[in-house]
Amino acid sequence: MKILIVKSSSMGDIIHALPVAHDIREAMPDAEIHWVAEESFRDIPWLAPAVTKVHVQAFRRWRKSWLSSATRREVAAFRQALAAERYDVVLDIQGLLRSALVCRWTGRPSIGYTRRTVREPIASFFYSRHLDLPEEMGAVLRYRTAAAEALGYPLRGGDAVFGLDAKAEPVPAMATPYAAMAVNTSRDEKLWPEAHWVTLCRELLARGLPSVFYWGSAVEEERVRRIAAQVEGAVVAPRAPLAAVAAGLKGASLTVGVDTGLSHLAAALGCPSVGIFVSTPLETLRLFGDGPVESLGGVGKVPGADEVLAAAERVLARGRA
């Protein structure tokens, strides 16, 4: 059976969907699993060994120049590649108009959420079969349940298994134990105070863990360099492809991060991780992973550096056990 999973963005959402690939492979060992991802996140589905092909879309770039000849050629090639696969099952767990459109481009019947539970209601009109799974279930359980219901296998109990494999050369390549810091996020209201980062990193250094900071834009680089300048031995990693960053996270002894894709990625890779959530309800979103994780905070709750440090010590201890 050839299966297409449509979950193209954002980074954290794709990561939370990756247990679907593991579940399908466990239930259906001979299934061929393909994935659709936005070009910025094309490296993420490849971390799941069960995924054998990634179709790359570029809606974020295409929408800036829909009428250009270059965009029309790229879209036509993308549609032709999807249609040529002749999928047995097309499952949209994104639930947006653009993801439903991708399903239509396959030329095959597709499965998605009901109008009541889909993110953009118009998308439900594109599906041949509907799944009534509300977002309140939480992302990871919702995605896993959608695949199980769509493909007709029983959902395995217990925690989600990611089973990811980061094979690229890590960035940075460090021989000593280190703590990875995911300081940046897409929205300012999710940031943790810089003074707290400085205190935390100094305390971790006293415990033998120098800090490595990751960034993805000029503004983010400025922020991490401000923090790193106040912490002895701190390293600002060079900007690198996500596959190399993933390998760097997997090699860390600890990751601490705000609600951002890198935090979710580190947890999924099995790195002992602490998530700091200051504007996100933990009832619907938190860290999930194959290693020890803790999530702190919540809407309007800003954990102190001492609280985060205590959580870091707990996940490190569980990781060593």
Side-chain angles (χ1 to χ4, degrees), residues 43 47 165-175 178 214 238-251:
D43 290 345
L47 296 171
D165 188 8
K167 296 180 180 179
E169 184 69 23
V171 172
M174 296 181 65
Y178 59 93
Y214 293 89
R239 190 171 184 177
L242 275 175
V245 173
L249 294 173
K250 189 173 179 63

Side-chain angles (χ1 to χ4, degrees), residues 66-110:
W66 275 115
L67 299 180
S68 72
S69 58
T71 296
R72 292 200 304 271
R73 285 195 300 270
E74 285 189 41
V75 172
F78 179 67
R79 295 179 62 171
Q80 290 167 8
L82 290 175
E85 297 287 355
R86 302 294 295 171
Y87 288 108
D88 298 297
V89 176
V90 176
L91 175 60
D92 179 10
I93 53 177
Q94 183 95 28
L96 301 176
L97 177 59
R98 67 174 184 266
S99 59
L101 186 61
V102 168
C103 292
R104 178 62 59 88
W105 288 346
T106 67
R108 308 294 288 174
S110 59

